[in-house]
Amino acid sequence: MKKTLLIIGSSGGLGTALVNHFKNSDYNLALHYFQNEPDLNLDHVKTYQADITIESEVEELIQKVKADFGRIDMVVHNAGVSRNGMSWKLKQADWDETIAVNLTGPFLVSKHVIPLMREQAFGRIVFMSSVVAQTGFVGTSAYAASKAGLLGLTKTLSKELAKKNITVNSIALGYFNAGMINDVPDDMQEVLKSNIPTGELGDPKQLAHVLESLFADEAGYLTGQTLNLNGGLFTS
């Protein structure tokens, strides 16, 4: 049976790039979006609207994907927001929204997809974290905290699910040429690139190839890990 890949947050810059890569793969694609529906007219691709911070909508999302494709094999948690501000000026509403979308949402999706993966004794869960969770960055207290929370969630879920052939990993992304980087002024982007050992921003194609390796049947021994995809910006 053809495997099904669920991409949470498929309509942003990075999500769109991933969709364009995986639409040519041998997977069914279940594409989640919040506001902007991906425009793809392909038999093996379906779209689903949901607010991942509301559990009832998440539960309905997972049920619809299962009804359409019969199974969910891989989940990429790509939805994210960043409400920036110095910690002593940051509004609680901005903190709450960032934690809700970046951390609570991935938890809720995982909570409702895990029973399906346990039944089929196979699953690949990948959280998109950030180098900011590892290094910190001025003005990103909410974002950094939310992405750091994913690292702890990864470690715990991986231990809970290992015996069911379900792996859980995080990818701590550096600065890529798609997605939130578009909100960064050009001069600041040049400063960022000057601090990256490779001297350039990441390309979503590089991320897609890492994901493919994590999805493989042979990748069952790689779990509970944070993979640093950042051009050498942070190493551990």
Side-chain angles (χ1 to χ4, degrees):
M1 180 180 292
K2 182 182 287 190
K3 290 180 179 176
T4 299
L5 167 60
L6 170 60
I7 300 178
I8 301 297
S10 65
S11 61
L14 192 57
T16 298
L18 292 177
V19 170
N20 287 335
H21 177 87
F22 285 110
K23 71 181 182 181
N24 299 315
S25 70
D26 193 33
Y27 302 141
N28 293 316
L29 292 189
L31 306 181
H32 158 267
Y33 69 98
F34 178 49
Q35 290 181 319
N36 302 310
E37 183 176 8
D39 184 17
L40 287 175
N41 186 21
L42 298 170
D43 291 340
H44 66 291
V45 179
K46 293 186 180 296
T47 59
Y48 306 85
Q49 193 280 332
D51 182 342
I52 61 170
T53 70
I54 300 174
E55 185 166 11
S56 60
E57 293 194 20
V58 171
E59 186 174 13
E60 184 178 4
L61 162 68
I62 299 304
Q63 290 175 347
K64 285 181 177 179
V65 176
K66 183 184 179 183
D68 286 337
F69 294 119
R71 57 190 293 130
I72 300 174
D73 298 275
M74 297 86 65
V75 180
V76 174
H77 294 271
N78 185 61
V81 298
S82 181
R83 300 292 179 252
N84 298 322
M86 301 302 283
S87 56
W88 60 92
K89 297 180 180 180
L90 188 69
K91 296 179 181 178
Q92 184 176 345
D94 290 334
W95 169 275
D96 290 344
E97 180 185 5
T98 304
I99 297 297
V101 175
N102 295 0
L103 184 57
T104 303
F107 164 73
L108 291 174
V109 172
S110 299
K111 173 183 176 180
H112 288 281
V113 81
I114 284 171
L116 303 185
M117 291 181 170
R118 283 173 53 84
E119 286 179 8
Q120 63 201 27
F122 181 89
R124 301 288 185 259
I125 298 172
V126 184
F127 297 111
M128 291 299 173
S129 185
S130 170
V131 66
V132 174
Q134 301 163 318
T135 65
F137 196 86
V138 172
T140 66
S141 57
Y143 183 77
S146 68
K147 293 298 186 178
L150 291 176
L151 304 185
L153 184 60
T154 295
K155 293 180 185 299
T156 294
L157 293 185
S158 68
K159 287 180 168 56
E160 292 179 347
L161 302 173
K163 291 184 178 179
K164 285 291 188 178
N165 193 26
I166 302 169
T167 67
V168 186
N169 293 288
S170 289
I171 301 178
L173 295 178
Y175 299 102
F176 275 64
N177 60 15
M180 291 183 182
I181 194 68
N182 294 323
D183 297 328
V184 178
D186 290 343
D187 57 343
M188 180 62 74
Q189 290 189 32
E190 291 304 314
V191 173
L192 289 174
K193 285 194 286 187
S194 70
N195 291 323
I196 301 172
T198 61
E200 60 185 7
L201 299 174
D203 188 296
K205 291 180 181 178
Q206 297 163 325
L207 171 59
H209 287 301
V210 172
L211 288 171
E212 286 177 339
S213 67
L214 291 175
F215 294 162
D217 292 346
E218 298 80 8
Y221 207 57
L222 178 60
T223 191
Q225 304 303 310
T226 297
L227 307 181
N228 298 327
L229 190 60
N230 58 35
L233 184 61
F234 173 83
T235 59
S236 64

